[in-house]
Amino acid sequence: SDEELRMIARIRQGKLADVGTLDPDKFAIEINNPDFQFPMSGAPPPKSRFVPSKWERQKVMKYVHAIRMGWIKPKQETTDDQEKIWDIWADETLPTRSANLPKHIQAPKLDLPKHAESYNPPSEYLFDEKEIKEWKETDEAERQINYLPCKYPALRKIEAYPRLVQEEFERCIELYLCPRILRKKTQIDMNALV
C-alpha cells in the first residue's frame, strides 16, 4: 500500500518508520523554564584545573635532561631540498638509490611466446601422432619445447596449465642463480677499423 511504501522510503532515508511515533509536542523544551536559570552544580571549578601538573613537569624535566646529556637528539628542521620525494616509477636514471648500495642490475627477461604457444596455433605448428610419440620419448632436458601445442576453439575453453607451478619455480631458481655482471660497451671508432 501507499502507507507501507512511505514507511520503506522513510527507513531508507534513515528516519523513523512510523510518522505517528514522532510527536513534536512530547519533545518540546521550555526555554523559559525557571530551573534553567542556574547551573546543574553550583560548585566553583577546582584549583587543580588552573595549577600545572607536578607529574607533567617531572616528565618534561626528564626529557630536557636527556636532550642536554645528548641521549635524545631533537629532530632538525629540514629544508625543501632535503624533503625531495622521488617517484620510484619515474625514469630510472634519477638517483633514487643510495650511493653506498651496489648498482642495480636488470634481471634477465623471459623469452617472448612463440606461435606454437598460442591457444589457436596454425596447423603447421601442431604435432601429429608420430611427433607426439617422439616428443614423449625424448628426455625433458633434450626437448626443443617443453609443451605440446594444442588447438582450442575459444580462449575460455583452455584448460589449466599443469606445469605452471613447476615453470614458476624454475624461473625463480633461474633468477636466484643467474650471475649478474655489467658488461662495459667498448667505444670503437669506425674509421680506425677501416
Side-chain angles (χ1 to χ4, degrees):
S1 70
D2 292 339
E3 189 178 323
E4 289 172 344
L5 288 172
R6 275 195 298 268
M7 187 183 293
I8 291 168
R10 287 184 61 79
I11 291 170
R12 290 176 94 187
Q13 291 172 355
K15 298 178 182 175
L16 288 173
D18 190 12
V19 184
T21 57
L22 189 62
D23 188 10
D25 296 334
K26 283 184 186 177
F27 302 105
I29 299 170
E30 296 177 29
I31 296 169
N32 298 330
N33 192 335
D35 293 339
F36 292 164
Q37 206 169 355
F38 302 103
M40 297 287 282
S41 168
K47 183 181 175 184
S48 61
R49 288 195 190 153
F50 304 101
V51 177
S53 172
K54 173 186 172 184
W55 308 110
E56 284 180 12
R57 182 179 173 277
Q58 285 182 356
K59 198 172 257 188
V60 169
M61 289 309 297
K62 184 177 162 187
Y63 286 127
V64 168
H65 178 67
I67 289 170
R68 284 182 183 159
M69 295 298 288
W71 301 331
I72 297 176
K73 292 192 173 128
K75 288 184 180 177
Q76 297 175 351
E77 291 183 14
T78 56
T79 60
D80 292 339
D81 296 339
Q82 291 174 337
E83 287 186 6
K84 205 169 223 180
I85 298 170
W86 298 102
D87 183 11
I88 61 170
W89 304 112
D91 188 14
E92 291 183 7
T93 58
L94 293 173
T96 55
R97 295 170 59 84
S98 177
N100 58 357
L101 289 175
K103 190 173 179 186
H104 173 71
I105 300 173
Q106 193 72 27
K109 293 182 178 168
L110 281 170
D111 295 333
L112 292 172
K114 298 179 176 57
H115 292 294
E117 292 183 59
S118 171
Y119 76 93
N120 191 8
S123 56
E124 62 260 19
Y125 291 104
L126 296 174
F127 288 179
D128 57 6
E129 291 179 14
K130 182 185 170 189
E131 289 174 325
I132 291 173
K133 187 179 177 186
E134 285 177 13
W135 184 84
K136 287 182 179 177
E137 287 174 358
T138 55
D139 189 34
E140 282 187 22
E142 296 174 3
R143 291 178 183 163
Q144 289 182 349
I145 54 174
N146 59 354
Y147 56 89
L148 273 172
C150 298
K151 193 172 185 113
Y152 296 97
L155 191 60
R156 60 189 161 81
K157 295 191 177 181
I158 298 174
E159 301 161 2
Y161 185 50
R163 285 184 42 86
L164 177 70
V165 175
Q166 180 67 27
E167 285 189 5
E168 289 296 321
F169 174 74
E170 287 170 6
R171 172 70 175 158
C172 290
I173 293 291
E174 177 187 328
L175 290 174
Y176 174 68
L177 297 175
C178 175
R180 297 191 193 176
I181 55 170
L182 282 174
R183 297 181 195 272
K184 291 184 180 177
K185 292 182 181 177
T186 54
Q187 299 294 332
I188 301 171
D189 187 18
M190 298 303 270
N191 296 329
L193 292 173
V194 180

